[in-house]
Coordinates of all heavy atoms in Angstrom, one line a residue:
M1156 N 126.6 115.9 123.2 CA 126.0 115.2 122.0 C 124.4 115.3 122.1 O 123.9 115.2 123.2 CB 126.4 113.7 122.1 CG 125.9 112.9 120.9 SD 126.4 111.2 120.9 CE 128.1 111.4 120.5
K1157 N 123.8 115.6 121.0 CA 122.4 115.8 121.0 C 121.7 114.4 120.9 O 122.2 113.5 120.4 CB 122.0 116.7 119.8 CG 122.5 118.1 120.0 CD 122.1 118.9 118.8 CE 122.7 120.3 118.9 NZ 122.4 121.1 117.8
L1158 N 120.4 114.4 121.3 CA 119.6 113.1 121.3 C 119.6 112.5 119.9 O 119.8 111.3 119.7 CB 118.2 113.4 121.7 CG 117.2 112.2 121.7 CD1 117.8 111.1 122.7 CD2 115.8 112.6 122.0
H1159 N 119.4 113.3 118.8 CA 119.3 112.7 117.5 C 120.6 112.2 117.1 O 120.7 111.2 116.3 CB 118.7 113.7 116.5 CG 119.6 114.9 116.2 ND1 119.7 116.0 117.0 CD2 120.5 115.1 115.2 CE1 120.6 116.8 116.5 NE2 121.1 116.3 115.4
E1160 N 121.7 112.8 117.5 CA 123.1 112.3 117.2 C 123.3 111.0 117.9 O 123.9 110.0 117.3 CB 124.1 113.3 117.5 CG 124.1 114.5 116.6 CD 125.0 115.6 117.2 OE1 125.5 115.5 118.3 OE2 125.2 116.6 116.4
T1161 N 122.9 110.9 119.2 CA 123.1 109.7 119.9 C 122.3 108.5 119.3 O 122.8 107.4 119.1 CB 122.6 109.9 121.4 OG1 123.4 110.9 121.9 CG2 122.8 108.6 122.2
H1162 N 121.1 108.8 118.9 CA 120.2 107.8 118.4 C 120.8 107.3 117.0 O 120.8 106.1 116.8 CB 118.8 108.4 118.1 CG 117.9 107.4 117.5 ND1 117.4 106.3 118.2 CD2 117.3 107.4 116.3 CE1 116.6 105.6 117.4 NE2 116.6 106.3 116.2
K1163 N 121.2 108.2 116.2 CA 121.7 107.7 114.8 C 123.0 107.0 114.9 O 123.3 106.1 114.1 CB 121.9 109.0 114.0 CG 120.6 109.6 113.5 CD 120.8 110.7 112.5 CE 119.5 111.3 112.1 NZ 119.6 112.5 111.2
N1164 N 123.8 107.3 115.9 CA 125.1 106.6 116.0 C 125.0 105.3 116.7 O 126.0 104.5 116.8 CB 126.1 107.5 116.8 CG 126.5 108.7 116.0 OD1 126.5 108.7 114.8 ND2 126.9 109.8 116.8
G1165 N 123.9 104.9 117.3 CA 123.7 103.7 117.9 C 124.3 103.6 119.3 O 124.5 102.6 119.9
D1166 N 124.7 104.8 119.8 CA 125.3 104.9 121.2 C 124.3 104.7 122.3 O 124.6 104.7 123.4 CB 126.1 106.2 121.4 CG 127.3 106.2 120.4 OD1 127.8 105.2 120.0 OD2 127.8 107.3 120.1
S1167 N 123.0 104.7 121.9 CA 121.9 104.7 122.9 C 121.0 103.6 122.7 O 120.9 103.0 121.6 CB 121.2 106.0 122.7 OG 120.0 106.0 123.5
D1168 N 120.3 103.2 123.7 CA 119.3 102.2 123.6 C 117.9 102.8 123.4 O 117.0 102.2 123.8 CB 119.4 101.3 124.8 CG 120.5 100.3 124.8 OD1 121.0 100.0 123.7 OD2 120.9 99.8 125.9
L1169 N 117.9 103.9 122.8 CA 116.6 104.6 122.5 C 116.1 104.1 121.1 O 116.9 104.1 120.2 CB 116.7 106.1 122.5 CG 116.9 106.7 123.9 CD1 117.0 108.2 123.8 CD2 115.8 106.4 124.8
L1170 N 114.9 103.8 121.1 CA 114.3 103.4 119.8 C 113.2 104.3 119.4 O 112.4 104.8 120.3 CB 113.7 101.9 120.0 CG 114.6 100.9 120.5 CD1 113.8 99.6 120.9 CD2 115.7 100.5 119.5
N1171 N 113.0 104.6 118.1 CA 111.9 105.4 117.7 C 110.6 104.4 117.7 O 110.7 103.2 117.9 CB 112.1 106.1 116.4 CG 112.3 105.1 115.2 OD1 111.7 104.0 115.2 ND2 113.1 105.5 114.3
T1172 N 109.5 105.0 117.5 CA 108.2 104.2 117.6 C 108.2 103.0 116.6 O 107.8 101.9 116.9 CB 107.0 105.1 117.3 OG1 107.1 106.2 118.2 CG2 105.7 104.4 117.5
K1173 N 108.7 103.3 115.4 CA 108.8 102.2 114.4 C 109.7 101.1 114.8 O 109.3 99.9 114.7 CB 109.2 102.8 113.0 CG 109.2 101.7 111.9 CD 109.6 102.4 110.6 CE 109.6 101.4 109.5 NZ 109.8 102.0 108.2
E1174 N 110.8 101.4 115.3 CA 111.8 100.4 115.8 C 111.2 99.6 117.0 O 111.4 98.4 117.0 CB 113.1 101.0 116.1 CG 113.9 101.6 115.0 CD 115.0 102.5 115.4 OE1 115.0 103.1 116.5 OE2 115.9 102.7 114.6
A1175 N 110.6 100.3 117.9 CA 110.1 99.7 119.1 C 108.9 98.7 118.7 O 108.8 97.6 119.2 CB 109.7 100.7 120.1
A1176 N 108.1 99.2 117.9 CA 106.9 98.4 117.5 C 107.4 97.1 116.7 O 106.7 96.1 116.9 CB 106.0 99.2 116.6
A1177 N 108.5 97.2 116.0 CA 109.0 96.1 115.3 C 109.4 95.0 116.2 O 109.4 93.8 115.8 CB 110.1 96.5 114.3
L1178 N 109.8 95.3 117.4 CA 110.2 94.3 118.4 C 109.1 93.6 119.0 O 109.3 92.5 119.7 CB 111.1 95.0 119.5 CG 112.4 95.5 119.0 CD1 113.2 96.2 120.2 CD2 113.3 94.4 118.5
L1179 N 107.9 94.1 119.0 CA 106.7 93.6 119.6 C 105.8 92.9 118.6 O 105.3 93.6 117.7 CB 105.9 94.7 120.3 CG 106.7 95.4 121.4 CD1 106.0 96.6 121.9 CD2 107.1 94.5 122.6
P1180 N 105.6 91.6 118.8 CA 104.8 90.9 117.8 C 103.4 91.5 117.7 O 102.7 91.8 118.8 CB 104.7 89.4 118.3 CG 105.8 89.4 119.4 CD 106.1 90.8 119.8
S1181 N 102.9 91.6 116.5 CA 101.5 92.1 116.3 C 101.2 93.4 117.0 O 100.0 93.6 117.4 CB 100.5 91.0 116.8 OG 100.7 89.8 116.1
T1182 N 102.1 94.3 117.0 CA 101.9 95.6 117.6 C 102.2 96.7 116.6 O 103.3 96.7 116.1 CB 102.8 95.8 118.9 OG1 102.5 94.7 119.8 CG2 102.5 97.1 119.6
S1183 N 101.3 97.6 116.4 CA 101.5 98.6 115.4 C 102.1 99.8 116.0 O 102.1 99.9 117.3 CB 100.2 99.0 114.7 OG 99.3 99.6 115.7
E1184 N 102.6 100.7 115.2 CA 103.2 102.0 115.8 C 102.1 102.7 116.5 O 102.3 103.3 117.5 CB 103.8 102.8 114.6 CG 105.0 102.2 114.0 CD 105.5 102.9 112.8 OE1 105.6 104.2 112.9 OE2 105.7 102.3 111.8
A1185 N 100.9 102.8 115.9 CA 99.8 103.5 116.6 C 99.4 102.9 117.9 O 99.1 103.7 118.9 CB 98.5 103.5 115.6
T1186 N 99.4 101.6 118.0 CA 99.1 101.0 119.3 C 100.2 101.4 120.4 O 99.9 101.7 121.5 CB 99.1 99.4 119.2 OG1 98.0 99.1 118.3 CG2 98.9 98.7 120.5
L1187 N 101.5 101.3 120.0 CA 102.5 101.6 120.9 C 102.5 103.1 121.3 O 102.6 103.4 122.5 CB 103.9 101.3 120.2 CG 105.1 101.4 121.1 CD1 105.0 100.5 122.3 CD2 106.4 101.1 120.3
A1188 N 102.2 104.0 120.4 CA 102.0 105.4 120.7 C 100.8 105.6 121.7 O 100.9 106.4 122.7 CB 101.8 106.2 119.5
R1189 N 99.7 104.9 121.5 CA 98.6 104.9 122.4 C 99.0 104.5 123.8 O 98.6 105.1 124.8 CB 97.4 104.1 121.8 CG 96.2 104.3 122.7 CD 94.9 103.6 122.1 NE 95.2 102.1 122.1 CZ 95.3 101.4 121.0 NH1 95.2 102.0 119.8 NH2 95.5 100.1 121.0
W1190 N 99.7 103.4 123.9 CA 100.1 102.8 125.2 C 101.0 103.9 125.9 O 100.9 104.1 127.1 CB 100.9 101.6 125.0 CG 100.1 100.4 124.6 CD1 98.8 100.2 124.6 CD2 100.6 99.1 124.1 NE1 98.4 99.0 124.1 CE2 99.5 98.3 123.8 CE3 101.9 98.6 123.9 CZ2 99.7 97.0 123.4 CZ3 102.0 97.4 123.4 CH2 100.9 96.5 123.1
A1191 N 101.8 104.6 125.1 CA 102.7 105.6 125.7 C 101.9 106.8 126.3 O 102.1 107.2 127.4 CB 103.7 106.1 124.7
R1192 N 100.8 107.2 125.5 CA 100.0 108.3 125.9 C 99.2 107.9 127.1 O 98.9 108.7 128.0 CB 99.0 108.7 124.8 CG 99.6 109.5 123.7 CD 98.5 110.1 122.7 NE 97.6 109.1 122.2 CZ 97.8 108.4 121.1 NH1 98.9 108.5 120.4 NH2 96.9 107.5 120.7
Q1193 N 98.8 106.6 127.2 CA 98.0 106.2 128.4 C 98.9 105.8 129.6 O 98.4 105.5 130.6 CB 97.2 104.9 128.0 CG 96.2 105.1 127.0 CD 95.5 103.9 126.4 OE1 96.1 102.7 126.6 NE2 94.4 104.0 125.8
G1194 N 100.2 105.9 129.4 CA 101.1 105.7 130.5 C 101.4 104.2 130.8 O 101.9 103.8 131.8
K1195 N 101.0 103.4 129.8 CA 101.2 101.9 130.0 C 102.7 101.5 129.8 O 103.1 100.5 130.2 CB 100.3 101.1 129.0 CG 98.9 101.3 129.4 CD 98.0 100.5 128.5 CE 96.5 100.6 128.9 NZ 95.6 99.8 128.0
I1196 N 103.4 102.3 129.0 CA 104.8 102.1 128.8 C 105.5 103.4 128.8 O 105.0 104.4 128.2 CB 105.1 101.3 127.4 CG1 106.5 100.9 127.3 CG2 104.6 102.1 126.2 CD1 106.8 99.9 126.3
P1197 N 106.7 103.5 129.4 CA 107.4 104.8 129.5 C 107.9 105.2 128.1 O 108.3 104.4 127.3 CB 108.5 104.6 130.5 CG 108.5 103.2 130.9 CD 107.3 102.5 130.2
A1198 N 107.9 106.5 127.9 CA 108.5 107.0 126.6 C 109.1 108.4 126.9 O 108.7 109.1 127.8 CB 107.4 107.1 125.6
V1199 N 110.1 108.7 126.1 CA 110.7 110.0 126.1 C 110.0 110.8 124.9 O 110.1 110.4 123.8 CB 112.2 109.9 125.8 CG1 112.9 111.3 125.7 CG2 112.9 109.1 126.9
V1200 N 109.4 111.9 125.3 CA 108.7 112.7 124.3 C 109.4 114.0 124.1 O 109.6 114.8 125.1 CB 107.2 112.9 124.7 CG1 106.5 113.7 123.6 CG2 106.5 111.6 125.0
L1201 N 109.9 114.3 122.9 CA 110.5 115.6 122.6 C 109.5 116.7 122.5 O 108.3 116.4 122.2 CB 111.3 115.4 121.3 CG 112.4 114.4 121.3 CD1 113.1 114.3 120.0 CD2 113.4 114.5 122.5
P1202 N 109.9 117.9 122.6 CA 109.0 119.0 122.4 C 108.3 119.0 121.0 O 107.2 119.4 120.8 CB 109.9 120.3 122.5 CG 111.0 119.9 123.3 CD 111.2 118.4 123.0
S1203 N 109.0 118.4 120.0 CA 108.4 118.2 118.7 C 107.3 117.2 118.6 O 106.6 117.1 117.7 CB 109.5 117.8 117.7 OG 110.0 116.5 118.0
G1204 N 107.2 116.4 119.7 CA 106.2 115.3 119.7 C 106.7 113.9 119.4 O 106.0 112.9 119.6
R1205 N 107.9 113.9 118.9 CA 108.5 112.6 118.6 C 108.7 111.8 119.9 O 109.2 112.3 120.9 CB 109.9 112.7 117.9 CG 109.7 113.3 116.5 CD 110.9 113.1 115.6 NE 111.2 111.7 115.5 CZ 112.4 111.3 115.1 NH1 113.4 112.1 114.8 NH2 112.6 110.0 114.9
R1206 N 108.5 110.5 119.8 CA 108.6 109.6 120.9 C 109.8 108.6 120.7 O 110.0 108.2 119.6 CB 107.4 108.7 121.1 CG 106.2 109.4 121.8 CD 105.1 108.4 122.0 NE 104.0 109.1 122.7 CZ 103.1 109.8 122.0 NH1 103.2 110.0 120.8 NH2 102.2 110.4 122.7
F1207 N 110.4 108.4 121.8 CA 111.5 107.4 121.8 C 111.3 106.5 123.0 O 110.7 106.9 124.1 CB 112.9 108.0 121.9 CG 113.3 108.7 120.7 CD1 113.0 110.1 120.5 CD2 114.0 108.1 119.7 CE1 113.3 110.7 119.4 CE2 114.3 108.8 118.5 CZ 114.0 110.1 118.4
F1208 N 111.6 105.2 122.9 CA 111.4 104.2 123.9 C 112.8 103.6 124.3 O 113.6 103.3 123.4 CB 110.5 103.1 123.4 CG 109.1 103.6 123.0 CD1 108.9 104.1 121.7 CD2 108.1 103.7 123.9 CE1 107.6 104.6 121.4 CE2 106.8 104.2 123.6 CZ 106.6 104.6 122.3
R1209 N 113.0 103.3 125.6 CA 114.2 102.6 126.0 C 114.0 101.1 125.6 O 113.0 100.5 125.8 CB 114.4 102.8 127.5 CG 114.7 104.1 127.9 CD 115.0 104.3 129.3 NE 114.5 103.1 130.1 CZ 114.7 103.1 131.4 NH1 115.2 104.0 132.1 NH2 114.2 102.0 132.1
R1210 N 115.1 100.6 125.0 CA 115.0 99.2 124.6 C 114.7 98.3 125.8 O 113.9 97.3 125.6 CB 116.4 98.7 124.1 CG 116.4 97.3 123.6 CD 117.8 96.9 123.0 NE 118.0 97.7 121.8 CZ 117.6 97.4 120.6 NH1 116.8 96.3 120.4 NH2 117.9 98.1 119.5
E1211 N 115.2 98.5 126.9 CA 114.9 97.6 128.1 C 113.4 97.7 128.5 O 112.9 96.7 129.0 CB 115.8 98.0 129.3 CG 115.5 99.3 129.9 CD 116.5 99.6 131.1 OE1 117.8 99.5 130.9 OE2 116.1 100.0 132.1
D1212 N 112.8 98.9 128.3 CA 111.3 98.9 128.6 C 110.5 98.1 127.6 O 109.5 97.4 128.0 CB 110.8 100.4 128.6 CG 111.4 101.2 129.7 OD1 111.7 100.7 130.8 OD2 111.5 102.5 129.5
I1213 N 110.9 98.1 126.3 CA 110.2 97.3 125.3 C 110.5 95.8 125.6 O 109.5 95.0 125.6 CB 110.7 97.7 123.9 CG1 110.4 99.1 123.6 CG2 110.1 96.7 122.9 CD1 108.9 99.5 123.6
E1214 N 111.7 95.5 125.9 CA 112.0 94.0 126.2 C 111.4 93.5 127.4 O 111.0 92.4 127.5 CB 113.5 93.9 126.2 CG 114.2 94.0 124.8 CD 115.7 93.9 124.9 OE1 116.3 94.0 126.0 OE2 116.3 93.9 123.8
S1215 N 111.1 94.4 128.4 CA 110.5 94.0 129.7 C 109.1 93.6 129.5 O 108.6 92.8 130.3 CB 110.6 95.1 130.7 OG 109.7 96.1 130.4
I1216 N 108.4 94.0 128.5 CA 107.0 93.6 128.3 C 106.9 92.4 127.4 O 105.8 91.8 127.3 CB 106.1 94.8 127.7 CG1 106.6 95.2 126.4 CG2 106.1 95.9 128.7 CD1 105.6 96.2 125.7
L1217 N 108.0 91.9 126.9 CA 108.0 90.6 126.1 C 108.0 89.5 127.2 O 108.8 89.5 128.1 CB 109.2 90.5 125.2 CG 109.2 91.5 124.0 CD1 110.5 91.4 123.3 CD2 108.1 91.2 123.1
T1218 N 107.1 88.6 127.0 CA 107.1 87.4 127.9 C 107.6 86.2 127.2 O 107.2 85.8 126.1 CB 105.6 87.1 128.3 OG1 105.0 88.2 128.9 CG2 105.6 85.9 129.3
P1219 N 108.7 85.6 127.7 CA 109.3 84.5 127.1 C 108.3 83.3 127.1 O 107.6 83.1 128.0 CB 110.5 84.1 127.9 CG 110.5 85.0 129.1 CD 109.4 85.9 129.0
V1220 N 108.3 82.6 126.0 CA 107.4 81.4 125.9 C 108.2 80.2 126.1 O 109.3 80.0 125.5 CB 106.8 81.3 124.4 CG1 106.0 80.1 124.2 CG2 106.0 82.6 124.1
S1221 N 107.8 79.4 127.1 CA 108.5 78.2 127.4 C 108.5 77.2 126.2 O 107.5 77.1 125.5 CB 108.0 77.5 128.6 OG 106.7 77.0 128.4
E1222 N 109.6 76.6 126.0 CA 109.7 75.7 124.9 C 109.2 74.3 125.3 O 109.4 73.8 126.4 CB 111.2 75.5 124.5 CG 111.8 76.8 123.9 CD 113.2 76.6 123.4 OE1 113.6 75.5 123.1 OE2 113.9 77.6 123.3
V1223 N 108.4 73.7 124.4 CA 107.9 72.4 124.6 C 108.8 71.4 123.8 O 108.9 71.6 122.6 CB 106.4 72.3 124.1 CG1 105.9 70.8 124.3 CG2 105.5 73.2 124.9
T1224 N 109.3 70.4 124.5 CA 110.2 69.5 123.8 C 109.3 68.7 122.8 O 108.1 68.5 123.0 CB 110.9 68.6 124.8 OG1 109.9 67.8 125.4 CG2 111.7 69.4 125.8
E1225 N 109.9 68.2 121.8 CA 109.2 67.4 120.8 C 108.6 66.1 121.5 O 107.5 65.7 121.2 CB 110.2 66.9 119.7 CG 109.4 66.2 118.6 CD 110.4 65.9 117.4 OE1 111.4 66.6 117.2 OE2 110.1 64.9 116.7
E1226 N 109.3 65.5 122.4 CA 108.8 64.3 123.1 C 107.6 64.7 123.9 O 106.6 64.0 123.9 CB 109.9 63.8 124.0 CG 109.5 62.5 124.8 CD 110.6 62.0 125.7 OE1 111.8 62.4 125.5 OE2 110.2 61.3 126.7
A1227 N 107.6 65.8 124.6 CA 106.4 66.2 125.5 C 105.3 66.5 124.5 O 104.1 66.1 124.8 CB 106.8 67.4 126.3
H1228 N 105.5 67.2 123.4 CA 104.5 67.5 122.5 C 103.8 66.2 121.9 O 102.6 66.1 121.8 CB 105.0 68.4 121.3 CG 104.0 68.7 120.3 ND1 103.8 67.9 119.2 CD2 103.1 69.7 120.3 CE1 102.8 68.5 118.5 NE2 102.4 69.6 119.1
N1229 N 104.7 65.2 121.5 CA 104.2 64.0 121.0 C 103.4 63.2 122.0 O 102.3 62.6 121.7 CB 105.3 63.1 120.5 CG 106.0 63.7 119.2 OD1 105.3 64.5 118.5 ND2 107.2 63.3 119.0
T1230 N 103.8 63.2 123.3 CA 103.1 62.5 124.3 C 101.7 63.1 124.5 O 100.7 62.4 124.6 CB 103.9 62.5 125.7 OG1 105.1 61.9 125.4 CG2 103.1 61.8 126.8
I1231 N 101.7 64.4 124.7 CA 100.4 65.2 124.9 C 99.5 64.9 123.7 O 98.3 64.6 123.9 CB 100.7 66.7 125.1 CG1 101.4 66.8 126.4 CG2 99.3 67.4 125.1 CD1 101.9 68.2 126.7
T1232 N 100.0 65.0 122.5 CA 99.2 64.8 121.3 C 98.6 63.4 121.2 O 97.5 63.2 120.9 CB 100.0 65.1 120.0 OG1 100.5 66.4 120.1 CG2 99.1 65.0 118.7
T1233 N 99.5 62.4 121.5 CA 99.0 61.0 121.5 C 98.0 60.8 122.5 O 97.0 60.1 122.3 CB 100.2 60.1 121.7 OG1 101.2 60.3 120.7 CG2 99.8 58.6 121.6
D1234 N 98.2 61.2 123.7 CA 97.2 61.0 124.8 C 95.9 61.7 124.5 O 94.8 61.1 124.7 CB 97.8 61.6 126.1 CG 98.9 60.8 126.7 OD1 99.1 59.7 126.2 OD2 99.6 61.3 127.6
A1235 N 95.9 62.8 123.9 CA 94.7 63.5 123.5 C 94.0 62.8 122.4 O 92.7 62.7 122.5 CB 95.0 65.0 123.1
A1236 N 94.7 62.2 121.5 CA 94.1 61.5 120.4 C 93.4 60.2 120.9 O 92.4 59.7 120.4 CB 95.1 61.1 119.3
L1237 N 94.0 59.6 122.0 CA 93.5 58.4 122.6 C 92.4 58.7 123.6 O 91.8 57.8 124.2 CB 94.6 57.6 123.3 CG 95.7 57.1 122.4 CD1 96.8 56.5 123.2 CD2 95.1 56.1 121.4
G1238 N 92.1 60.0 123.9 CA 91.1 60.4 124.8 C 91.5 60.2 126.3 O 90.7 60.1 127.2
E1239 N 92.8 60.1 126.5 CA 93.3 59.9 127.9 C 93.7 61.2 128.5 O 94.0 62.2 127.8 CB 94.6 59.0 127.8 CG 94.3 57.6 127.3 CD 95.6 56.8 127.2 OE1 96.7 57.3 127.5 OE2 95.5 55.7 126.7
E1240 N 93.7 61.3 129.8 CA 94.1 62.5 130.5 C 95.6 62.6 130.4 O 96.3 61.6 130.4 CB 93.6 62.5 131.9 CG 92.1 62.5 132.1 CD 91.7 62.5 133.6 OE1 92.4 61.8 134.4 OE2 90.7 63.1 133.9
S1241 N 96.1 63.8 130.3 CA 97.5 64.0 130.2 C 98.0 64.7 131.5 O 97.2 65.3 132.2 CB 97.8 64.9 129.1 OG 97.5 64.3 127.9
V1242 N 99.2 64.5 131.8 CA 99.9 65.1 132.9 C 100.7 66.3 132.4 O 101.4 66.2 131.5 CB 100.8 64.1 133.7 CG1 101.5 64.9 134.8 CG2 100.0 63.0 134.2
D1243 N 100.4 67.5 133.0 CA 101.2 68.6 132.6 C 102.6 68.5 133.2 O 102.8 68.4 134.4 CB 100.5 69.9 133.2 CG 101.3 71.2 132.8 OD1 102.4 71.1 132.3 OD2 100.7 72.3 133.1
P1244 N 103.7 68.4 132.3 CA 105.0 68.1 132.8 C 105.5 69.2 133.7 O 106.4 69.0 134.5 CB 105.8 68.0 131.5 CG 105.0 68.7 130.4 CD 103.6 68.5 130.9
N1245 N 104.9 70.4 133.6 CA 105.4 71.5 134.5 C 104.7 71.5 135.9 O 105.2 72.0 136.8 CB 105.1 72.9 133.8 CG 105.9 73.0 132.5 OD1 107.0 72.6 132.5 ND2 105.3 73.6 131.5
Q1246 N 103.5 70.9 136.0 CA 102.8 70.9 137.2 C 102.7 69.5 137.9 O 102.5 69.5 139.1 CB 101.4 71.4 136.9 CG 101.3 72.8 136.4 CD 101.8 73.9 137.3 OE1 101.7 73.7 138.5 NE2 102.5 74.8 136.8
G1247 N 102.9 68.5 137.1 CA 102.8 67.2 137.7 C 101.3 66.8 138.1 O 101.1 65.9 138.9
E1248 N 100.4 67.6 137.6 CA 99.0 67.3 138.0 C 98.2 67.1 136.7 O 98.6 67.4 135.6 CB 98.4 68.6 138.7 CG 99.1 68.9 139.9 CD 98.6 70.3 140.5 OE1 97.7 70.8 140.0 OE2 99.2 70.7 141.5
L1249 N 97.0 66.5 136.9 CA 96.1 66.3 135.7 C 95.5 67.6 135.3 O 95.2 68.4 136.1 CB 95.0 65.3 136.1 CG 95.5 63.9 136.4 CD1 94.3 63.1 136.9 CD2 96.1 63.2 135.2
F1250 N 95.4 67.7 134.0 CA 94.7 68.9 133.4 C 93.8 68.5 132.4 O 93.7 67.5 131.9 CB 95.7 70.0 132.9 CG 96.5 69.6 131.7 CD1 96.1 69.9 130.5 CD2 97.7 68.9 131.9 CE1 96.9 69.5 129.3 CE2 98.5 68.6 130.8 CZ 98.1 68.9 129.5

């Protein structure tokens, strides 16, 4: 099976530049291509110059954002409005 056939059939986790950039917030295709040229992210480059990215490589650069519960958000907001110091629930220290 050829690379383009694998990609079109969805049997592969290879993404073209447009698909990969769409998974990364605020990242253009040009930026992703530049990162690949600079070696910041691995890419498969065909002799034609087309680039493909492994889905797992793209997902590995995404950093999960910890969720703030509504109660914690309200406590921090209220304390800040009152001019009081707040305790970071993740650290247990004053910030």
